[in-house]
mmCIF file of all heavy atoms in Angstrom:
data_model
loop_
_atom_site.group_PDB
_atom_site.id
_atom_site.type_symbol
_atom_site.label_atom_id
_atom_site.label_comp_id
_atom_site.label_asym_id
_atom_site.label_seq_id
_atom_site.Cartn_x
_atom_site.Cartn_y
_atom_site.Cartn_z
ATOM 1 N N LEU A 1 53.098 -266.055 -14.321
ATOM 2 C CA LEU A 1 52.112 -266.408 -13.358
ATOM 3 C C LEU A 1 50.772 -265.831 -13.683
ATOM 4 O O LEU A 1 49.705 -266.494 -13.482
ATOM 5 C CB LEU A 1 52.528 -265.923 -12.008
ATOM 6 C CG LEU A 1 51.678 -266.324 -10.806
ATOM 7 C CD1 LEU A 1 51.603 -267.840 -10.765
ATOM 8 C CD2 LEU A 1 52.167 -265.765 -9.492
ATOM 9 N N ALA A 2 50.676 -264.625 -14.261
ATOM 10 C CA ALA A 2 49.411 -263.981 -14.595
ATOM 11 C C ALA A 2 48.682 -264.748 -15.632
ATOM 12 O O ALA A 2 47.376 -264.765 -15.637
ATOM 13 C CB ALA A 2 49.724 -262.568 -15.074
ATOM 14 N N ALA A 3 49.409 -265.398 -16.501
ATOM 15 C CA ALA A 3 48.783 -266.194 -17.627
ATOM 16 C C ALA A 3 48.618 -267.718 -17.175
ATOM 17 O O ALA A 3 48.053 -268.477 -18.025
ATOM 18 C CB ALA A 3 49.646 -266.199 -18.847
ATOM 19 N N PHE A 4 48.987 -268.105 -16.010
ATOM 20 C CA PHE A 4 48.913 -269.467 -15.564
ATOM 21 C C PHE A 4 47.469 -269.844 -15.166
ATOM 22 O O PHE A 4 46.887 -269.100 -14.416
ATOM 23 C CB PHE A 4 49.864 -269.681 -14.389
ATOM 24 C CG PHE A 4 49.972 -271.128 -13.968
ATOM 25 C CD1 PHE A 4 50.367 -272.118 -14.802
ATOM 26 C CD2 PHE A 4 49.703 -271.431 -12.609
ATOM 27 C CE1 PHE A 4 50.482 -273.436 -14.404
ATOM 28 C CE2 PHE A 4 49.833 -272.746 -12.167
ATOM 29 C CZ PHE A 4 50.230 -273.754 -13.062
ATOM 30 N N PRO A 5 46.875 -270.852 -15.766
ATOM 31 C CA PRO A 5 45.480 -271.235 -15.521
ATOM 32 C C PRO A 5 45.085 -271.401 -14.049
ATOM 33 O O PRO A 5 43.948 -271.148 -13.624
ATOM 34 C CB PRO A 5 45.236 -272.478 -16.378
ATOM 35 C CG PRO A 5 46.275 -272.467 -17.339
ATOM 36 C CD PRO A 5 47.518 -271.811 -16.708
ATOM 37 N N HIS A 6 46.118 -271.818 -13.306
ATOM 38 C CA HIS A 6 45.820 -272.164 -11.878
ATOM 39 C C HIS A 6 46.407 -271.081 -10.887
ATOM 40 O O HIS A 6 46.778 -271.336 -9.751
ATOM 41 C CB HIS A 6 46.405 -273.505 -11.590
ATOM 42 C CG HIS A 6 45.998 -274.609 -12.478
ATOM 43 N ND1 HIS A 6 44.732 -275.101 -12.535
ATOM 44 C CD2 HIS A 6 46.730 -275.228 -13.441
ATOM 45 C CE1 HIS A 6 44.596 -276.010 -13.509
ATOM 46 N NE2 HIS A 6 45.804 -276.126 -14.010
ATOM 47 N N ARG A 7 46.566 -269.892 -11.397
ATOM 48 C CA ARG A 7 47.096 -268.809 -10.640
ATOM 49 C C ARG A 7 46.517 -268.637 -9.229
ATOM 50 O O ARG A 7 47.215 -268.366 -8.259
ATOM 51 C CB ARG A 7 46.944 -267.469 -11.423
ATOM 52 C CG ARG A 7 47.218 -266.208 -10.586
ATOM 53 C CD ARG A 7 48.727 -266.112 -10.279
ATOM 54 N NE ARG A 7 48.985 -264.967 -9.397
ATOM 55 C CZ ARG A 7 49.007 -265.076 -8.102
ATOM 56 N NH1 ARG A 7 48.706 -266.164 -7.489
ATOM 57 N NH2 ARG A 7 49.261 -263.999 -7.317
ATOM 58 N N ASP A 8 45.167 -268.774 -9.203
ATOM 59 C CA ASP A 8 44.507 -268.592 -7.825
ATOM 60 C C ASP A 8 44.878 -269.520 -6.758
ATOM 61 O O ASP A 8 44.668 -269.263 -5.619
ATOM 62 C CB ASP A 8 42.966 -268.586 -8.095
ATOM 63 C CG ASP A 8 42.506 -267.471 -8.874
ATOM 64 O OD1 ASP A 8 43.215 -266.458 -9.051
ATOM 65 O OD2 ASP A 8 41.297 -267.565 -9.421
ATOM 66 N N VAL A 9 45.511 -270.627 -7.133
ATOM 67 C CA VAL A 9 45.919 -271.571 -6.063
ATOM 68 C C VAL A 9 47.408 -271.718 -6.027
ATOM 69 O O VAL A 9 47.952 -272.741 -5.538
ATOM 70 C CB VAL A 9 45.273 -273.004 -6.331
ATOM 71 C CG1 VAL A 9 43.773 -272.921 -6.031
ATOM 72 C CG2 VAL A 9 45.587 -273.473 -7.752
ATOM 73 N N VAL A 10 48.172 -270.672 -6.479
ATOM 74 C CA VAL A 10 49.590 -270.665 -6.358
ATOM 75 C C VAL A 10 49.878 -269.668 -5.150
ATOM 76 O O VAL A 10 49.560 -268.479 -5.291
ATOM 77 C CB VAL A 10 50.292 -270.189 -7.616
ATOM 78 C CG1 VAL A 10 51.805 -270.110 -7.418
ATOM 79 C CG2 VAL A 10 49.964 -271.220 -8.744
ATOM 80 N N GLU A 11 50.603 -270.117 -4.208
ATOM 81 C CA GLU A 11 51.073 -269.223 -3.145
ATOM 82 C C GLU A 11 52.577 -268.872 -3.341
ATOM 83 O O GLU A 11 53.396 -269.715 -3.577
ATOM 84 C CB GLU A 11 51.025 -269.960 -1.724
ATOM 85 C CG GLU A 11 51.541 -269.186 -0.589
ATOM 86 C CD GLU A 11 51.728 -270.003 0.671
ATOM 87 O OE1 GLU A 11 51.604 -271.177 0.581
ATOM 88 O OE2 GLU A 11 51.975 -269.405 1.754
ATOM 89 N N VAL A 12 52.795 -267.541 -3.327
ATOM 90 C CA VAL A 12 54.141 -267.003 -3.569
ATOM 91 C C VAL A 12 54.701 -266.522 -2.236
ATOM 92 O O VAL A 12 54.057 -265.691 -1.610
ATOM 93 C CB VAL A 12 54.165 -265.940 -4.630
ATOM 94 C CG1 VAL A 12 55.633 -265.378 -4.788
ATOM 95 C CG2 VAL A 12 53.654 -266.432 -5.976
ATOM 96 N N VAL A 13 55.893 -267.039 -1.860
ATOM 97 C CA VAL A 13 56.506 -266.642 -0.674
ATOM 98 C C VAL A 13 57.874 -266.193 -0.941
ATOM 99 O O VAL A 13 58.680 -266.783 -1.639
ATOM 100 C CB VAL A 13 56.608 -267.795 0.389
ATOM 101 C CG1 VAL A 13 57.296 -267.415 1.617
ATOM 102 C CG2 VAL A 13 55.242 -268.369 0.679
ATOM 103 N N HIS A 14 58.216 -265.006 -0.383
ATOM 104 C CA HIS A 14 59.570 -264.379 -0.715
ATOM 105 C C HIS A 14 60.444 -264.744 0.537
ATOM 106 O O HIS A 14 60.126 -264.623 1.736
ATOM 107 C CB HIS A 14 59.449 -262.897 -0.765
ATOM 108 C CG HIS A 14 58.714 -262.459 -1.894
ATOM 109 N ND1 HIS A 14 59.213 -262.528 -3.218
ATOM 110 C CD2 HIS A 14 57.318 -262.023 -2.064
ATOM 111 C CE1 HIS A 14 58.257 -262.106 -4.102
ATOM 112 N NE2 HIS A 14 57.119 -261.860 -3.416
ATOM 113 N N ARG A 15 61.656 -265.318 0.189
ATOM 114 C CA ARG A 15 62.696 -265.708 1.136
ATOM 115 C C ARG A 15 63.882 -264.765 1.156
ATOM 116 O O ARG A 15 64.184 -264.126 0.190
ATOM 117 C CB ARG A 15 63.100 -267.148 0.829
ATOM 118 C CG ARG A 15 61.964 -268.180 0.836
ATOM 119 C CD ARG A 15 61.454 -268.407 2.196
ATOM 120 N NE ARG A 15 60.568 -269.640 2.292
ATOM 121 C CZ ARG A 15 59.821 -269.927 3.312
ATOM 122 N NH1 ARG A 15 59.829 -269.093 4.377
ATOM 123 N NH2 ARG A 15 59.044 -270.975 3.315
ATOM 124 N N SER A 16 64.545 -264.762 2.268
ATOM 125 C CA SER A 16 65.647 -263.898 2.389
ATOM 126 C C SER A 16 67.034 -264.442 1.858
ATOM 127 O O SER A 16 67.362 -265.568 2.062
ATOM 128 C CB SER A 16 65.896 -263.466 3.892
ATOM 129 O OG SER A 16 64.753 -262.920 4.414
ATOM 130 N N PHE A 17 67.781 -263.537 1.259
ATOM 131 C CA PHE A 17 69.185 -263.839 0.709
ATOM 132 C C PHE A 17 69.878 -262.584 0.598
ATOM 133 O O PHE A 17 69.484 -261.694 -0.183
ATOM 134 C CB PHE A 17 69.014 -264.562 -0.648
ATOM 135 C CG PHE A 17 70.335 -265.057 -1.148
ATOM 136 C CD1 PHE A 17 70.591 -266.436 -1.170
ATOM 137 C CD2 PHE A 17 71.350 -264.275 -1.593
ATOM 138 C CE1 PHE A 17 71.737 -266.972 -1.618
ATOM 139 C CE2 PHE A 17 72.586 -264.765 -2.048
ATOM 140 C CZ PHE A 17 72.748 -266.127 -2.050
ATOM 141 N N GLU A 18 70.881 -262.381 1.363
ATOM 142 C CA GLU A 18 71.696 -261.150 1.324
ATOM 143 C C GLU A 18 72.963 -261.374 0.384
ATOM 144 O O GLU A 18 73.723 -262.311 0.539
ATOM 145 C CB GLU A 18 72.331 -260.787 2.752
ATOM 146 C CG GLU A 18 71.295 -260.485 3.705
ATOM 147 C CD GLU A 18 71.896 -260.336 5.073
ATOM 148 O OE1 GLU A 18 72.028 -261.372 5.778
ATOM 149 O OE2 GLU A 18 72.255 -259.247 5.454
ATOM 150 N N LEU A 19 73.074 -260.501 -0.592
ATOM 151 C CA LEU A 19 74.188 -260.522 -1.465
ATOM 152 C C LEU A 19 75.483 -260.311 -0.769
ATOM 153 O O LEU A 19 76.580 -260.840 -1.139
ATOM 154 C CB LEU A 19 74.009 -259.609 -2.599
ATOM 155 C CG LEU A 19 73.007 -259.955 -3.668
ATOM 156 C CD1 LEU A 19 72.771 -258.861 -4.650
ATOM 157 C CD2 LEU A 19 73.231 -261.228 -4.298
ATOM 158 N N ASP A 20 75.470 -259.450 0.225
ATOM 159 C CA ASP A 20 76.685 -259.096 1.006
ATOM 160 C C ASP A 20 76.319 -259.064 2.513
ATOM 161 O O ASP A 20 76.262 -258.040 3.118
ATOM 162 C CB ASP A 20 77.125 -257.651 0.572
ATOM 163 C CG ASP A 20 78.532 -257.359 1.075
ATOM 164 O OD1 ASP A 20 79.083 -258.131 1.781
ATOM 165 O OD2 ASP A 20 78.987 -256.326 0.661
ATOM 166 N N PRO A 21 76.191 -260.263 3.109
ATOM 167 C CA PRO A 21 75.788 -260.387 4.496
ATOM 168 C C PRO A 21 76.769 -259.800 5.469
ATOM 169 O O PRO A 21 76.361 -259.377 6.601
ATOM 170 C CB PRO A 21 75.628 -261.801 4.741
ATOM 171 C CG PRO A 21 76.441 -262.536 3.674
ATOM 172 C CD PRO A 21 76.402 -261.585 2.465
ATOM 173 N N GLY A 22 78.003 -259.615 5.052
ATOM 174 C CA GLY A 22 79.079 -259.060 6.009
ATOM 175 C C GLY A 22 79.142 -257.593 5.920
ATOM 176 O O GLY A 22 79.938 -256.986 6.655
ATOM 177 N N ARG A 23 78.401 -256.864 5.101
ATOM 178 C CA ARG A 23 78.362 -255.461 4.975
ATOM 179 C C ARG A 23 77.969 -254.769 6.276
ATOM 180 O O ARG A 23 76.905 -255.115 6.806
ATOM 181 C CB ARG A 23 77.634 -255.001 3.784
ATOM 182 C CG ARG A 23 77.569 -253.428 3.608
ATOM 183 C CD ARG A 23 76.603 -253.051 2.507
ATOM 184 N NE ARG A 23 77.067 -253.518 1.217
ATOM 185 C CZ ARG A 23 77.849 -252.791 0.397
ATOM 186 N NH1 ARG A 23 78.340 -251.576 0.788
ATOM 187 N NH2 ARG A 23 78.174 -253.249 -0.763
ATOM 188 N N ALA A 24 78.721 -253.775 6.698
ATOM 189 C CA ALA A 24 78.311 -253.012 7.901
ATOM 190 C C ALA A 24 77.064 -252.226 7.631
ATOM 191 O O ALA A 24 76.739 -251.827 6.488
ATOM 192 C CB ALA A 24 79.465 -252.097 8.386
ATOM 193 N N LYS A 25 76.247 -252.023 8.667
ATOM 194 C CA LYS A 25 74.998 -251.370 8.445
ATOM 195 C C LYS A 25 75.162 -249.944 7.888
ATOM 196 O O LYS A 25 74.269 -249.461 7.163
ATOM 197 C CB LYS A 25 74.209 -251.331 9.778
ATOM 198 C CG LYS A 25 72.811 -250.797 9.658
ATOM 199 C CD LYS A 25 72.014 -251.003 10.975
ATOM 200 C CE LYS A 25 70.651 -250.567 10.824
ATOM 201 N NZ LYS A 25 69.832 -250.761 12.055
ATOM 202 N N ASP A 26 76.312 -249.248 8.233
ATOM 203 C CA ASP A 26 76.464 -247.864 7.851
ATOM 204 C C ASP A 26 77.348 -247.791 6.614
ATOM 205 O O ASP A 26 77.741 -246.739 6.214
ATOM 206 C CB ASP A 26 77.081 -247.048 8.902
ATOM 207 C CG ASP A 26 78.438 -247.599 9.414
ATOM 208 O OD1 ASP A 26 78.848 -248.734 8.961
ATOM 209 O OD2 ASP A 26 79.111 -246.931 10.277
ATOM 210 N N ASP A 27 77.653 -248.941 6.025
ATOM 211 C CA ASP A 27 78.492 -248.963 4.786
ATOM 212 C C ASP A 27 77.639 -248.831 3.574
ATOM 213 O O ASP A 27 77.038 -249.743 2.999
ATOM 214 C CB ASP A 27 79.239 -250.246 4.695
ATOM 215 C CG ASP A 27 80.189 -250.305 3.477
ATOM 216 O OD1 ASP A 27 80.368 -249.313 2.828
ATOM 217 O OD2 ASP A 27 80.753 -251.435 3.277
ATOM 218 N N VAL A 28 77.428 -247.605 3.098
ATOM 219 C CA VAL A 28 76.668 -247.252 1.835
ATOM 220 C C VAL A 28 77.680 -246.786 0.838
ATOM 221 O O VAL A 28 78.433 -245.881 1.065
ATOM 222 C CB VAL A 28 75.643 -246.248 2.197
ATOM 223 C CG1 VAL A 28 74.826 -245.925 0.899
ATOM 224 C CG2 VAL A 28 74.674 -246.720 3.262
ATOM 225 N N GLN A 29 77.562 -247.355 -0.426
ATOM 226 C CA GLN A 29 78.504 -247.094 -1.493
ATOM 227 C C GLN A 29 77.735 -246.790 -2.808
ATOM 228 O O GLN A 29 76.649 -247.339 -2.973
ATOM 229 C CB GLN A 29 79.507 -248.221 -1.739
ATOM 230 C CG GLN A 29 80.315 -248.599 -0.615
ATOM 231 C CD GLN A 29 81.236 -249.726 -1.046
ATOM 232 O OE1 GLN A 29 81.739 -249.751 -2.243
ATOM 233 N NE2 GLN A 29 81.471 -250.708 -0.186
ATOM 234 N N PRO A 30 78.248 -245.891 -3.662
ATOM 235 C CA PRO A 30 77.721 -245.868 -4.996
ATOM 236 C C PRO A 30 77.802 -247.164 -5.702
ATOM 237 O O PRO A 30 78.778 -247.880 -5.535
ATOM 238 C CB PRO A 30 78.581 -244.805 -5.678
ATOM 239 C CG PRO A 30 79.195 -244.030 -4.558
ATOM 240 C CD PRO A 30 79.436 -244.999 -3.477
ATOM 241 N N VAL A 31 76.781 -247.510 -6.455
ATOM 242 C CA VAL A 31 76.716 -248.828 -7.145
ATOM 243 C C VAL A 31 77.979 -248.947 -8.042
ATOM 244 O O VAL A 31 78.540 -250.047 -8.059
ATOM 245 C CB VAL A 31 75.368 -248.947 -7.965
ATOM 246 C CG1 VAL A 31 75.563 -250.077 -8.914
ATOM 247 C CG2 VAL A 31 74.224 -249.163 -7.011
ATOM 248 N N LEU A 32 78.360 -247.908 -8.740
ATOM 249 C CA LEU A 32 79.486 -248.047 -9.642
ATOM 250 C C LEU A 32 80.804 -248.413 -8.870
ATOM 251 O O LEU A 32 81.630 -249.220 -9.325
ATOM 252 C CB LEU A 32 79.654 -246.843 -10.479
ATOM 253 C CG LEU A 32 78.574 -246.480 -11.477
ATOM 254 C CD1 LEU A 32 78.900 -245.328 -12.365
ATOM 255 C CD2 LEU A 32 78.157 -247.693 -12.324
ATOM 256 N N ALA A 33 81.038 -247.784 -7.741
ATOM 257 C CA ALA A 33 82.155 -248.001 -7.016
ATOM 258 C C ALA A 33 82.091 -249.431 -6.368
ATOM 259 O O ALA A 33 83.104 -250.140 -6.374
ATOM 260 C CB ALA A 33 82.256 -246.996 -5.798
ATOM 261 N N MET A 34 80.950 -249.902 -5.995
ATOM 262 C CA MET A 34 80.844 -251.299 -5.466
ATOM 263 C C MET A 34 81.132 -252.274 -6.533
ATOM 264 O O MET A 34 81.853 -253.237 -6.281
ATOM 265 C CB MET A 34 79.409 -251.541 -4.919
ATOM 266 C CG MET A 34 79.145 -252.907 -4.375
ATOM 267 S SD MET A 34 78.643 -254.156 -5.679
ATOM 268 C CE MET A 34 77.088 -253.396 -6.209
#
């Protein structure tokens, strides 16, 4: 995008996607264990 000639007229919007939407809020695990 930084090298794109029309960068100034490109709108970037971030959308939501949960990899694990069923995970409990207090369920925190080491990455390797997960």
Side-chain angles (χ1 to χ4, degrees):
L1 186 61
F4 186 56
H6 310 288
R7 167 67 186 93
D8 291 344
V9 290
V10 176
E11 177 191 13
V12 178
V13 178
H14 296 282
R15 301 291 193 192
S16 301
F17 189 107
E18 294 171 275
L19 291 175
D20 193 356
R23 179 187 290 272
K25 190 172 181 178
D26 60 353
D27 181 9
V28 179
Q29 299 179 40
V31 166
L32 295 187
M34 179 276 293

